[in-house]
Amino acid sequence: MSMINQLQDVKTKDFAKHCYESSSVDKLRDAAEGSPDKAEMEHWGLTEGQWEEAIVAALADHEAKE
């Protein structure tokens, strides 16, 4: 999880770890290409930018593992 570990914001990092552990590469790719999930943003207390940063980091770490 090298990209996730580089995140500075605690909420963003926590959400990225959650995404990495609970989502497939395909699901993360779909999320990265689509609009931010408003329900997840509200639940995790994230801005749109934080949500996007977490998704990208989780996806990058999954792809690095492949």
Side-chain angles (χ1 to χ4, degrees):
M1 291 193 292
S2 61
M3 289 295 292
I4 292 172
N5 289 334
Q6 292 179 30
L7 296 173
Q8 299 299 310
D9 182 75
V10 173
K11 289 191 289 185
T12 305
K13 185 183 281 191
D14 287 346
F15 179 60
K17 285 179 183 177
H18 165 77
C19 292
Y20 178 83
E21 293 168 357
S22 66
S23 299
S24 67
V25 173
D26 289 337
K27 184 176 179 181
L28 290 169
R29 281 187 186 129
D30 288 346
E33 293 171 5
S35 299
D37 186 309
K38 302 293 183 193
E40 283 182 336
M41 287 171 49
E42 186 176 322
H43 175 79
W44 288 86
L46 301 170
T47 66
E48 194 170 300
Q50 289 170 314
W51 185 91
E52 291 171 347
E53 187 177 16
I55 294 293
V56 169
L59 178 57
D61 281 357
H62 260 299
E63 289 177 335
K65 177 180 86 169
E66 292 182 343

